[in-house]
Amino acid sequence: MAEAEEQETESLEESTDESEEEESEEEPKLKYERLSNGVTEILQKDAASCMTVHDKFLALGTHYGKVYLLDVQGNITQKFDVSPVKINQISLDESGEHMGMCSEDGKVQVFGLYSGEEFHETFDCPIKIIAVHPHFVRSSCKQFVTGGKKLLLFERSWMSRWKSSVLHEGEGNIRSVKWKGHLIAWANNMGVKIFDITSKQRITNVPRDDISLRPDMYPCSLCWKDNVTLIIGWGTSVKICSVKERHASEMRDLPSRYVEIVSQFETEFYISGLAPLCDQLVVLSYVKEVSEKTEREYCARPRLDIIQPLSETCEEISSDALTVRGFQENECRDYHLEYSEGEPLFYIVSPRDVVVAKERDQDDHIDWLLEKKKYEEALMAAEISQKNIKRHKILDIGLAYINHLVEKGEYDIAARKCQKILGKNAALWEYEVYKFKEIGQLKAISPYLPRGDPVLKPLIYEMILHEFLESDYEGFATLIREWPGDLYNNSVIVQAVRDHLKKDSQNRTLLKTLADLYTYDKNYGNALEIYLTLRHKDVFQLIHKHNLFSSIKDKIVLLMDFDSEKAVDMLLDNEDKISIKKVVEELEDRPELQHVYLHKLFKRDHHKGQRYHEKQISLYAEYDRPNLLPFLRDSTHCPLEKALEICQQRNFVEETVYLLSRMGNSRSALKMIMEELHDVDKAIEFAKEQDDGELWEDLILYSIDKPPFITGLLNNIGTHVDPILLIHRIKEGMEIPNLRDSLVKILQDYNLQILLREGCKKILVADSLSLLKRMHRTQMKGVLVDEENICESCLSPVLPADAAKPFSVVVFHCRHMFHKECLPVPSMSSPAQFCGICSAKHRGPGSAILEMKK
């Protein structure tokens, strides 16, 4: 019955703890679990009084005088019956090979766990504390201290005998001690002392702050952070002390070391234990609260806080209320906090429970995120730390995330996440698709389905296509365009579309989609017919892509009606597949389209369609007169008589004038311009082009009785015909518009011509003089004559081999050289000599410029 009540209380306490954690939005820094197995058995019959921790094992003391050695899972490995009364403290050296213990009845034992050495002593008063030297395993460090009413140091002498010495007494019971390196710290009723075991000096006394608290009910908590940093917790006060070396100049009679308090602050609750965590502190606090109903104080759950010490205050990092068994009956002195220096493990010891706290790992972080339904953060954390997580799988977290989004109704986000989470797992994809089908959300997942690596079963894709076909034609068409045709059974979808077209035969979306399906199925003929029926812009792309030119030979008119520009470009680009003759024949009944085709053909190549140039004259005359004249000018295969006949029939004056002039009948052409067009400027331009004097005469005769024409001639005739000829023929008394301006223009043109001639003359004279001077400078330069030069007449060297012999050489400006005796003797009538070679080649004779004699 008692066990059932205890289990019920435990489950209630745990559920309370969980509910509080659920309310907290801040993630805890530590996780907790009860030390079970052998510990559970021990505490069912006994109560824990103290515990010490080594990296390899635990030592637990009880109120019934037993000491148990436990592994880290709480299993009992060894048991010692020490005393019938409470074990007050257990101490281990750093090696874990020696253990000391003391009890309420004054018994002290120090012995080796793996050796025969042992110390036993029973005192006449309770021994509250014991601490063995951290390096007790060494023969030079066989020391330990005990404390009751006084602090005793035991040392083993060279004769293997133990001798004791009093380190301190007279200030009440010693209730706490911690030994680190060469320093021992202990607490009595008055404060905390530190003793240097090397120099045998007490180096400081740190008095306790709140003397109103009973030291036996609210004992001091001590812990060494390192060899020189001591942390003291007493009541609600925390002090961090640093042991420093004293400068030699300050020694005198003082200890070689001193203590400086580097941080001091107050906490909210009473301190039951302390432990370091990097640069932070773990504090176990005893909590008392006041009931709102009875207004009485009661023991609340103890708290384990992580705090960041500052110089005069602290910052709380995390705070957890611990549900330990029997916390309602415990006092501050009943709780202890022990820790493992190797691994950050913290043991919260109470009479009926031992709870282990450890830093949360990535798996714990993910657990908390999942508990708070922060799935996306959990997934991200798992991806970042996938090598370190042991209890979670990224896929499981992802699937839970998808389910969560579906439950919230965020179907699109859930479908989008499937791409990343499901990856290439085809089976999971199919499973998720069916889940979306059950909730009627196939449309949501459709954009994200894999379309290759992996490829799902065709039934999956067909199921989604049918869903769209029943409710969303546009969405259906989009999927058909985006999905490769080999993902589904094409014939099944084609039949489904045709069934829907029976109900709505003119639906352009379905028709276009059916054409796409025919294309995927390589049924290009049916696809082309639908495209042409719809007059769809992609028809030309379809023809090009699948080389459907043989299928469009009888559909040229349809293509031209749809888009004549694109159709003509396509036909001309593929003459080898559809000949010009075939196109012209197909367009025979549509001359306007025939003209568009032949016109573009002529623009590309004036000779390819020469057999149709005669036909084109009529087509241009009928449908495109502005391009008729350019066509007549550019075509060399056009029959001029036929063209003239058509132009005269239609009274196309400009075209007729051009044809008459091209056929050599310039006078008729000019007459037509004057009589039909009445355009003197065009007549003058025509006369200028022909550059025929008789044509100018005809133009003057026709214009002589027409004052406007005379004005035009006076303004433009000056550079081709002497204006005097026109002026003399003007009848006296004829009124000519703007005559004065015309005459002024003639004079200005004449003056301009005179100025141009004079300017040209000056330039010519200046250039001639410049060239003459340049030639003179060139000819005045010396000419090198050496033994390599030869006489151009006798072809022997111009200089004799013997320099002592006399010689005579003539050098011309053209650089040809002769022996003087080789040149003809100049006559009396022409005393100047000239180079015979240059004179013979008509390059201009060069006169002699130098005669060398010796």
Side-chain angles (χ1 to χ4, degrees):
M1 186 70 178
E3 288 182 4
E5 287 177 359
E6 183 175 291
Q7 290 176 358
E8 184 177 349
T9 305
E10 179 179 343
S11 62
L12 178 63
E13 289 170 352
E14 288 176 353
S15 64
T16 306
D17 192 30
E18 289 172 2
S19 65
E20 283 198 11
E21 287 183 2
E22 286 175 5
E23 291 171 3
S24 173
E25 284 301 319
E26 186 176 350
E27 182 179 3
K29 302 295 181 183
L30 302 172
K31 63 178 179 179
Y32 303 90
E33 60 183 22
R34 280 192 168 85
L35 197 61
S36 54
N37 301 321
V39 174
T40 304
E41 297 175 13
I42 294 169
L43 299 184
Q44 283 177 351
K45 302 173 182 178
D46 204 341
S49 61
C50 62
M51 191 170 84
T52 190
V53 177
H54 190 268
D55 292 343
K56 300 175 183 176
F57 63 92
L58 313 174
L60 176 68
T62 70
H63 280 263
Y64 288 174
K66 308 290 191 296
V67 174
Y68 298 90
L69 297 187
L70 312 167
D71 62 18
V72 292
Q73 279 80 34
N75 297 302
I76 301 172
T77 60
Q78 204 168 349
K79 175 184 175 183
F80 301 95
D81 287 318
V82 179
S83 168
V85 295
K86 174 184 173 184
I87 302 295
N88 284 327
Q89 191 164 5
I90 303 171
S91 176
L92 293 168
D93 67 349
E94 289 183 357
S95 68
E97 296 181 11
H98 295 82
M99 182 169 68
M101 59 188 78
C102 62
S103 61
E104 191 68 21
D105 59 359
K107 286 184 179 180
V108 174
Q109 291 187 26
V110 178
F111 58 91
L113 294 175
Y114 312 106
S115 65
E117 61 180 319
E118 188 173 0
F119 171 86
H120 289 273
E121 185 72 43
T122 302
F123 295 89
D124 57 359
C125 65
I127 301 300
K128 300 294 185 181
I129 57 97
I130 186 170
V132 300
H133 195 294
H135 304 294
F136 193 89
V137 69
R138 300 177 188 171
S139 58
S140 61
C141 299
K142 300 297 183 181
Q143 299 172 314
F144 66 91
V145 293
T146 64
K149 293 181 179 180
K150 53 187 175 183
L151 185 68
L152 296 176
L153 172 65
F154 289 85
E155 299 176 281
R156 194 165 69 175
S157 65
W158 63 278
M159 297 279 300
S160 296
R161 294 182 178 179
W162 292 91
K163 65 174 184 177
S164 64
S165 57
V166 178
L167 298 183
H168 186 72
E169 64 179 332
E171 293 184 354
N173 282 331
I174 313 296
R175 301 189 182 278
S176 180
V177 66
K178 291 291 179 183
W179 193 333
K180 186 75 171 179
H182 300 296
L183 299 175
I184 305 171
W186 71 90
N188 56 27
N189 292 350
M190 305 304 293
V192 176
K193 281 76 176 171
I194 299 177
F195 184 82
D196 188 341
I197 196 70
T198 305
S199 63
K200 304 293 185 180
Q201 290 179 313
R202 196 173 74 187
I203 59 178
T204 192
N205 173 39
V206 182
R208 72 179 170 123
D209 295 331
D210 190 353
I211 59 174
S212 65
L213 296 174
R214 285 176 55 183
D216 59 332
M217 297 297 290
Y218 297 91
C220 177
S221 297
L222 301 174
C223 77
W224 288 97
K225 181 179 179 181
D226 51 46
N227 286 343
V228 294
T229 305
L230 176 67
I231 305 170
I232 304 170
W234 206 336
T236 59
S237 171
V238 175
K239 294 177 182 177
I240 301 177
C241 306
S242 178
V243 180
K244 298 184 177 182
E245 297 288 340
R246 198 183 300 275
H247 194 272
S249 62
E250 301 175 350
M251 285 287 195
R252 300 175 189 172
D253 297 328
L254 299 174
S256 61
R257 296 182 177 185
Y258 69 98
V259 170
E260 180 182 339
I261 298 175
V262 295
S263 178
Q264 179 175 353
F265 52 87
E266 293 291 322
T267 62
E268 188 177 353
F269 307 111
Y270 298 108
I271 297 167
S272 294
L274 294 167
L277 177 62
C278 299
D279 61 338
Q280 298 171 342
L281 284 181
V282 178
V283 180
L284 176 63
S285 301
Y286 171 69
V287 181
K288 280 192 172 184
E289 294 181 354
V290 178
S291 172
E292 294 181 0
K293 296 180 179 178
T294 62
E295 296 184 356
R296 290 183 180 179
E297 250 189 356
Y298 67 94
C299 297
R301 293 184 299 169
R303 303 190 71 84
L304 193 68
D305 300 335
I306 298 177
I307 61 175
Q308 178 68 56
L310 303 174
S311 58
E312 295 182 357
T313 182
C314 65
E315 179 184 349
E316 184 182 281
I317 306 301
S318 72
S319 180
D320 299 320
L322 308 179
T323 306
V324 298
R325 296 188 182 100
F327 69 87
Q328 299 91 337
E329 302 165 4
N330 294 339
E331 298 291 340
C332 183
R333 63 184 176 183
D334 294 324
Y335 293 111
H336 307 281
L337 178 63
E338 301 293 336
Y339 66 96
S340 169
E341 294 185 1
E343 184 181 357
L345 296 175
F346 305 95
Y347 295 83
I348 298 93
V349 183
S350 69
R352 295 181 58 197
D353 212 351
V354 178
V355 177
V356 184
K358 61 178 71 174
E359 285 189 289
R360 297 170 64 86
D361 58 19
Q362 202 63 20
D363 281 300
D364 299 314
H365 175 57
I366 293 170
D367 280 335
W368 184 82
L369 291 172
L370 293 175
E371 182 184 337
K372 298 299 180 183
K373 300 191 181 302
K374 298 180 178 182
Y375 292 94
E376 187 165 10
E377 294 177 36
L379 186 61
M380 190 181 302
E383 289 171 346
I384 293 171
S385 307
Q386 56 183 326
K387 293 182 180 179
N388 299 324
I389 57 177
K390 299 174 182 177
R391 292 187 285 104
H392 292 94
K393 294 181 179 178
I394 294 175
L395 181 59
D396 294 340
I397 298 171
L399 292 174
Y401 186 22
I402 293 172
N403 292 336
H404 172 68
L405 291 171
V406 169
E407 289 172 5
K408 288 175 63 180
E410 297 178 2
Y411 305 114
D412 185 68
I413 299 175
R416 196 182 319 132
K417 292 297 178 183
C418 286
Q419 279 186 310
K420 179 180 178 182
I421 294 166
L422 305 183
K424 297 181 180 181
N425 193 322
L428 281 177
W429 268 108
E430 291 171 6
Y431 175 76
E432 289 298 327
V433 170
Y434 281 112
K435 264 177 45 177
F436 274 77
K437 182 179 185 299
E438 290 174 6
I439 58 176
Q441 291 296 328
L442 280 176
K443 288 184 179 180
I445 201 171
S446 63
Y448 310 105
L449 280 186
R451 303 170 189 179
D453 194 23
V455 175
L456 310 183
K457 294 176 183 177
L459 181 62
I460 299 294
Y461 300 101
E462 292 167 17
M463 183 170 64
I464 292 175
L465 288 173
H466 279 292
E467 177 77 15
F468 274 92
L469 188 56
E470 293 297 328
S471 58
D472 183 1
Y473 288 162
E474 291 295 337
F476 174 75
T478 300
L479 290 183
I480 293 296
R481 283 195 304 272
E482 293 178 353
W483 285 359
D486 56 355
L487 292 179
Y488 47 85
N489 189 331
N490 201 58
S491 58
V492 172
I493 304 301
V494 167
Q495 187 57 49
V497 175
R498 291 174 67 179
D499 291 343
H500 276 263
L501 280 171
K502 291 177 183 177
K503 307 171 189 174
D504 187 2
S505 60
Q506 300 303 314
N507 190 291
R508 293 181 63 84
T509 302
L510 285 181
L511 286 170
K512 170 64 173 61
T513 308
L514 184 59
D516 291 339
L517 290 168
Y518 280 138
T519 303
Y520 298 149
D521 211 21
K522 298 185 179 179
N523 191 346
Y524 302 121
N526 288 343
L528 184 61
E529 285 185 13
I530 295 174
Y531 275 125
L532 288 172
T533 302
L534 296 174
R535 300 170 69 87
H536 197 278
K537 61 182 177 62
D538 291 341
V539 65
F540 298 104
Q541 183 182 353
L542 179 72
I543 295 167
H544 276 293
K545 186 175 181 180
H546 302 291
N547 197 20
L548 303 180
F549 295 99
S550 59
S551 303
I552 64 168
K553 288 182 179 179
D554 57 345
K555 299 179 177 64
I556 293 173
V557 174
L558 288 174
L559 288 169
M560 293 284 286
D561 278 336
F562 171 43
D563 190 331
S564 60
E565 286 292 322
K566 285 187 178 179
V568 169
D569 286 337
M570 181 188 70
L571 293 169
L572 293 177
D573 289 340
N574 297 274
E575 290 178 32
D576 56 327
K577 296 165 185 170
I578 302 178
S579 65
I580 296 172
K581 181 181 178 183
K582 175 64 177 175
V583 176
V584 173
E585 288 175 357
E586 286 294 318
L587 297 175
E588 195 64 42
D589 295 334
R590 297 290 299 276
E592 72 281 6
L593 299 178
Q594 196 178 57
H595 164 68
V596 172
Y597 175 77
L598 290 173
H599 172 64
K600 205 148 203 178
L601 174 64
F602 181 74
K603 285 289 186 184
R604 287 198 180 191
D605 191 327
H606 293 347
H607 307 289
K608 270 190 178 180
Q610 60 184 6
R611 62 187 292 186
Y612 302 109
H613 282 198
E614 182 177 349
K615 185 183 198 64
Q616 280 186 269
I617 299 170
S618 301
L619 293 174
Y620 275 112
E622 182 68 28
Y623 302 108
D624 190 10
R625 185 191 168 184
N627 282 312
L628 175 57
L629 187 57
F631 170 73
L632 294 173
R633 284 178 177 151
D634 295 337
S635 173
T636 57
H637 307 286
C638 175
L640 299 180
E641 294 83 0
K642 178 68 174 177
L644 180 61
E645 180 185 346
I646 292 173
C647 290
Q648 287 176 339
Q649 285 176 357
R650 293 177 176 268
N651 197 27
F652 292 170
V653 178
E654 291 186 12
E655 290 80 357
T656 303
V657 168
Y658 169 75
L659 289 169
L660 287 172
S661 66
R662 187 171 169 186
M663 294 169 71
N665 195 349
S666 300
R667 303 185 84 170
S668 298
L670 180 62
K671 183 179 179 182
M672 197 167 191
I673 292 172
M674 302 294 286
E675 293 179 353
E676 298 290 338
L677 298 179
H678 305 288
D679 190 341
V680 66
D681 293 330
K682 184 163 287 204
I684 294 169
E685 191 65 32
F686 180 75
K688 287 180 181 179
E689 289 176 3
Q690 301 300 317
D691 196 19
D692 184 353
E694 292 183 359
L695 214 57
W696 281 109
E697 185 67 25
D698 290 345
L699 181 57
I700 292 171
L701 288 174
Y702 182 82
S703 305
I704 202 66
D705 58 348
K706 300 177 180 63
F709 277 41
I710 293 175
T711 302
L713 284 170
L714 289 173
N715 289 335
N716 295 282
I717 202 172
T719 56
H720 291 77
V721 180
D722 188 354
I724 299 299
L725 296 176
L726 176 60
I727 293 169
H728 283 166
R729 296 189 184 187
I730 298 173
K731 297 177 182 179
E732 291 186 14
M734 180 180 288
E735 185 175 341
I736 299 172
N738 301 319
L739 177 60
R740 185 186 64 182
D741 295 340
S742 299
L743 293 175
V744 169
K745 186 175 183 303
I746 290 172
L747 293 174
Q748 287 176 340
D749 290 346
Y750 177 76
N751 288 333
L752 181 60
Q753 289 180 6
I754 297 300
L755 289 173
L756 286 172
R757 287 179 183 177
E758 290 178 353
C760 291
K761 181 179 177 182
K762 287 179 180 178
I763 293 169
L764 181 61
V765 170
D767 286 349
S768 300
L769 181 60
S770 174
L771 292 171
L772 179 62
K773 289 179 180 179
R774 181 179 174 185
M775 184 184 73
H776 183 262
R777 285 194 304 271
T778 303
Q779 291 180 346
M780 290 298 291
K781 291 180 180 178
V783 179
L784 175 65
V785 179
D786 56 20
E787 59 274 8
E788 293 183 1
N789 298 112
I790 61 171
C791 173
E792 298 292 343
S793 178
C794 64
L795 302 179
S796 60
V798 293
L799 298 179
D802 186 1
K805 290 183 179 182
F807 65 90
S808 181
V809 176
V810 176
V811 181
F812 289 93
H813 290 304
C814 58
R815 300 300 189 268
H816 290 129
M817 302 179 188
F818 297 89
H819 294 123
K820 187 173 183 181
E821 56 269 21
C822 293
L823 288 172
V825 180
S827 63
M828 295 297 292
S829 60
S830 179
Q833 284 187 320
F834 298 95
C835 175
I837 294 173
C838 292
S839 299
K841 292 182 178 179
H842 306 288
R843 291 189 300 189
S847 58
I849 60 169
L850 180 64
E851 182 176 343
M852 299 177 61
K853 290 183 179 180
K854 184 175 178 183

